[in-house]
Amino acid sequence: MAFEPEINRAICFGEPMRCLLPVVWTLAQAQTPAMPALTPPTTSPQAATPAPVALAPVQIVLDEVSLKGGKFKSKMDKASLLKALTDMFQQAGFTVLPSSGSIPPNALQMRFLVAAIHDRYDRVAFQVSGRASEGKNAKVNENLPGQPQRIWFANITAARSGIDEGVSEIHATLAAFATNFYKWTSFALNRPYANVVFPMTFPPAPEATRINPSEFHNWSSVKIKSDGYRPPWPVEALERRTAGNVLVELLVGEDGKPMRAYIKQGPPELYLHAIQWAMGYEFEPAIVDGKPVKAKFLFNMTYQQSDLERFSIR
């Protein structure tokens, strides 16, 4: 099953495990033993019955779902997100434990935080953070140097034009995080691995609004047509006195208006603010053979120390 967000390109920026998950997945691919060469059997053995694979029970926890913007109320809430994730794992053959209460030591616990903002320009910026661990490590807060890994982290910050498209992207991101958590932890913890099929239980994005990144031309000579509306400086960044650069990948349409954005790197306190700000820009259309085309490029959002001083809370 293919999910629309490109998760591996924009996860795990946050501390404490920077860029851990793509590394684990790469190792999983690299260390898979090669299949031995097949030789014709000398007899006609009976077909072997595959050994049953034990699927560890899972516990799915939505620690926080923060939705800002009135239109979210009829589109998405904490209960519906949790139900969709639960249905997805149950239909794949897992036992899903209650979100609250104790968890067996060998069960897999997945915890998520979801923050999303829908603005007056019909843009949705969102951040999904997650962590996975066995039940015996559910209360562990970090991986200690020199010790076996006990927790797996993931983080993606992105934006999409349109409330329906944004909600669908959040759904797909949560689904991809959950299924990849199972794959990563199954390999790393040496558990039997089954090719589990996870049905998509979230409503899909409208066909007409789906984005295929391969349709976008790589572009470097970007010309700004108009600056974006700059949202209020994030309180967390002010409190921590965070400045610096945030690198954003933008996908823009033939009209030069952003359709989707991803955070590539930068201070985590500025992620949501930067992606909102970047989506408000408008660019001169990219031209190929005399015609405007869809384009994708990297865009740097700069947060200066002088601005921090000006907006600082006294």
Side-chain angles (χ1 to χ4, degrees):
M1 177 175 57
F3 293 101
E4 198 174 341
E6 299 178 60
I7 297 298
N8 282 336
R9 67 195 289 180
I11 62 175
C12 211
F13 293 121
E15 299 297 337
M17 299 303 295
R18 186 179 301 274
C19 299
L20 172 63
L21 293 182
V23 173
V24 172
W25 181 239
T26 302
L27 289 175
Q29 293 174 314
Q31 296 181 11
T32 302
M35 292 294 291
L38 298 178
T39 56
T42 55
T43 59
S44 300
Q46 294 182 351
T49 302
V53 176
L55 299 178
V58 298
Q59 184 184 57
I60 304 168
V61 182
L62 290 179
D63 284 315
E64 183 180 347
V65 177
S66 172
L67 306 174
K68 296 181 180 179
K71 289 190 177 180
F72 277 126
K73 293 181 180 178
S74 61
K75 303 284 184 180
M76 179 175 61
D77 58 25
K78 184 174 182 177
S80 64
L81 289 176
L82 182 59
K83 183 180 185 305
L85 283 170
T86 300
D87 290 348
M88 187 175 72
F89 273 82
Q90 286 179 334
Q91 291 177 32
F94 288 82
T95 298
V96 180
L97 304 172
S99 295
S100 58
S102 60
I103 177 173
N106 69 329
L108 178 65
Q109 185 189 67
M110 292 178 282
R111 309 184 73 96
F112 298 99
L113 296 171
V114 181
I117 302 170
H118 178 241
D119 65 20
R120 57 183 174 178
Y121 302 103
D122 199 28
R123 298 184 296 252
V124 175
F126 68 90
Q127 187 170 54
V128 178
S129 303
R131 57 162 277 169
S133 66
E134 286 187 295
K136 63 184 179 182
N137 292 317
K139 295 183 179 180
V140 175
N141 292 323
E142 61 182 4
N143 292 306
L144 299 178
Q147 294 189 2
Q149 182 180 331
R150 296 173 296 171
I151 319 170
W152 289 261
F153 296 90
N155 182 298
I156 185 170
T157 304
R160 187 71 196 271
S161 58
I163 181 70
D164 291 330
E165 294 79 8
V167 167
S168 179
E169 191 111 357
I170 295 170
H171 289 168
T173 300
L174 268 174
F177 270 12
T179 55
N180 281 328
F181 268 153
Y182 172 69
K183 294 178 183 179
W184 290 321
T185 52
S186 293
F187 168 78
L189 297 173
N190 235 359
R191 286 182 177 167
Y193 179 76
N195 291 319
V196 180
V197 176
F198 292 93
M200 171 62 93
T201 57
F202 295 98
E207 184 68 35
T209 65
R210 294 183 187 176
I211 289 179
N212 180 2
S214 65
E215 297 177 354
F216 290 74
H217 293 256
N218 289 311
W219 210 250
S220 56
S221 55
V222 180
K223 295 182 179 179
I224 298 173
K225 186 175 181 180
S226 63
D227 293 347
Y229 161 73
R230 186 168 184 167
W233 198 289
V235 174
E236 186 179 13
L238 289 174
E239 291 174 343
R240 297 184 180 183
R241 307 189 66 76
T242 303
N245 295 318
V246 180
L247 193 62
V248 180
E249 182 181 60
L250 281 172
L251 281 69
V252 302
E254 293 96 334
D255 58 0
K257 294 181 180 179
M259 300 172 65
R260 177 189 275 171
Y262 293 104
I263 293 290
K264 302 294 285 185
Q265 65 184 38
E269 299 92 335
L270 299 170
Y271 281 0
L272 267 178
H273 185 275
I275 207 125
Q276 279 186 279
W277 187 14
M279 285 291 288
Y281 274 73
E282 191 172 344
F283 303 88
E284 296 291 344
I287 304 296
V288 175
D289 296 330
K291 296 181 179 179
V293 296
K294 297 176 182 177
K296 57 183 176 181
F297 51 87
L298 296 176
F299 194 57
N300 195 40
M301 313 299 295
T302 301
Y303 292 80
Q304 298 178 352
Q305 193 70 33
S306 58
D307 290 336
L308 181 62
E309 296 296 334
R310 185 157 54 95
F311 286 101
S312 183
I313 299 175
R314 302 296 181 185

